[in-house]
Amino acid sequence: LAKTTQPISMDSYEGQEVNITCSHNNIATNDYITWYQQFPSQGPRFIIQGYKTKVTNEVASLFIPADRKSSTLSLPRVSLSDTAVYYCLVGDPLDGGFKTIFGAGTRLFVKA
Amino acid sequence: DTAVSQTPKYLVTQMGNDKSIKCEQNLGHDTMYWYKQDSKKFLKIMFSYNNKELIINETVPNRFSPKSPDKAHLNLHINSLELGDSAVYFCASSRPGQSRYGYTFGSGTRLTVV
């Protein structure tokens, strides 16, 4: 099972770019990297997913180096509403979800 | 329209009772899940189910059982509730193979056993 390691918490200010790095040294060939966002009293929400190199959508960018042993979620110009827990997951989308492990996540605090 | 809906949102009950949490998804997904989030905010998968196969996390007590009347529903039944069952339970769904969409979670059910 691919484990992930993320910082426990991060602080930022409104308007700044935030980069959260996740380590996953034993990532397998079929594993994808997926990031979720969770607000209090809500379920996790899918943000972005990638396999290698760079992926960008309207919310974030995901940078994955060639060895795929780490990944970085980049949130451009954060706002107060981006305060949440961010989870990095590594797993094979075809495995039925059972081997995709949620770690402790990173608590991001965005200050005014 | 809510994609994955759970009821109730809050559930307070006494030890020893039997309770159920309902989950419905209108996304047409093939697979549904139940997750438990404990007080330390760790999310742990309990069950994975599609119309062919139920996969059970071996650490889940057999007091917990999923019931799926159809593809769009996966309810969670809990017998003989214990204090340690207090947690937030999330239902989720996915369509394996559509790898770029991940899991869609419900808003959770906060279960408190007193």
Side-chain angles (χ1 to χ4, degrees), chain A residues 16-82:
Chain A
Q16 289 187 332
E17 178 185 76
V18 172
N19 296 310
I20 306 174
T21 297
C22 179
S23 297
H24 29 79
N25 290 319
N26 59 342
I27 187 169
T29 302
N30 294 333
D31 288 344
Y32 280 67
I33 300 154
T34 311
W35 285 80
Y36 287 81
Q37 175 191 57
Q38 186 178 25
F39 298 114
S41 301
Q42 293 187 27
R45 182 177 72 98
F46 173 90
I47 301 176
I48 196 167
Q49 185 180 81
Y51 185 80
K52 61 181 179 180
T53 63
K54 176 183 174 182
V55 179
T56 298
N57 62 21
E58 65 277 7
V59 176
S61 294
L62 178 59
F63 299 92
I64 306 168
D67 66 4
R68 303 201 327 123
K69 293 184 183 299
S70 66
S71 58
T72 299
L73 174 72
S74 180
L75 304 172
R77 299 179 299 280
V78 294
S79 63
L80 295 176
S81 62
D82 292 317

Side-chain angles (χ1 to χ4, degrees), chain B residues 7-27:
Chain B
T7 54
K9 190 169 179 62
Y10 300 97
L11 181 56
V12 181
T13 187
Q14 291 185 330
M15 285 175 54
N17 284 350
D18 302 337
K19 290 294 179 184
S20 295
I21 305 172
K22 295 184 177 181
C23 178
E24 176 182 4
Q25 56 98 359
N26 61 7
L27 299 167

Side-chain angles (χ1 to χ4, degrees), chain A residues 72-111:
Chain A
T72 299
L73 174 72
S74 180
L75 304 172
R77 299 179 299 280
V78 294
S79 63
L80 295 176
S81 62
D82 292 317
T83 294
V85 178
Y86 293 82
Y87 293 96
C88 166
L89 272 70
V90 173
D92 182 346
L94 298 179
D95 76 357
F98 232 76
K99 297 181 180 178
T100 304
I101 308 296
F102 278 83
T106 297
R107 293 181 179 277
L108 173 65
F109 296 95
V110 180
K111 305 173 186 176

Side-chain angles (χ1 to χ4, degrees), chain B residues 15-95:
Chain B
M15 285 175 54
N17 284 350
D18 302 337
K19 290 294 179 184
S20 295
I21 305 172
K22 295 184 177 181
C23 178
E24 176 182 4
Q25 56 98 359
N26 61 7
L27 299 167
H29 285 171
D30 301 319
T31 305
M32 298 183 71
Y33 313 83
W34 278 103
Y35 280 82
K36 178 181 179 180
Q37 187 167 43
D38 60 24
S39 58
K40 295 184 178 180
K41 304 301 182 185
F42 283 100
L43 271 160
K44 297 179 182 178
I45 191 167
M46 302 174 69
F47 304 101
S48 168
Y49 182 78
N50 62 29
N51 59 359
K52 300 176 184 176
E53 187 178 20
L54 170 66
I55 305 176
I56 303 172
N57 185 327
E58 61 187 13
T59 66
V60 174
N62 57 15
R63 299 181 293 103
F64 290 78
S65 59
K67 297 282 194 301
S68 180
D70 56 58
K71 185 178 170 180
H73 297 82
L74 184 66
N75 303 324
L76 181 65
H77 296 265
I78 316 170
N79 297 325
S80 303
L81 278 155
E82 300 177 358
L83 293 177
D85 297 333
S86 295
V88 181
Y89 292 85
F90 289 99
C91 178
S93 70
S94 74
R95 177 170 283 174

